[in-house]
Amino acid sequence: MQRVRYRAGAHYSNSYLKIDDNSYNEYGVSVGFGLPLLDQRSLVNLSFEYVKIKPDARPLIDEQYFRFTVNYTFNEHWFFKFKVN
């Protein structure tokens, strides 16, 4: 459990989408962790995110969604620069 990399974050933005001079605001939070593989260089990352998109005007649609992400970070020796003496 000590080698696991924990992550958390939040974001807020004004959407580029405008309908009849009404815009949307986007809020979101995410949590995740990276699990090291046996070689201790590569990681499998798992994350969970909640996003709410809220319009400025009442008749527009509110949107909420959850996102679950799995990805693989590939770190091997051939990506590193070696110094030559």
Side-chain angles (χ1 to χ4, degrees):
M1 295 301 285
Q2 294 175 351
R3 295 182 299 192
V4 176
R5 298 179 185 178
Y6 300 96
R7 298 172 177 92
H11 72 273
Y12 166 79
S13 66
N14 293 325
S15 178
Y16 61 88
L17 181 63
K18 289 191 183 259
I19 299 173
D20 296 332
D21 292 328
N22 295 314
S23 64
Y24 286 87
N25 295 322
E26 182 176 319
Y27 309 89
V29 293
S30 63
V31 293
F33 53 93
L35 300 171
L37 296 180
L38 294 176
D39 63 0
Q40 300 299 316
R41 292 183 303 255
S42 300
L43 294 169
V44 174
N45 298 300
L46 305 170
S47 67
F48 178 75
E49 182 178 15
Y50 168 74
V51 176
K52 179 174 177 96
I53 300 173
K54 185 177 179 184
D56 288 340
R58 189 78 175 151
L60 299 177
I61 297 173
D62 241 3
E63 185 177 343
Q64 299 180 40
Y65 60 88
F66 297 100
R67 180 183 301 155
F68 181 73
T69 307
V70 177
N71 67 42
Y72 176 70
T73 303
F74 182 70
N75 289 322
E76 291 296 329
H77 287 300
W78 58 318
F79 290 116
F80 297 111
K81 285 185 177 181
F82 293 102
K83 291 184 181 180
V84 178
N85 292 331

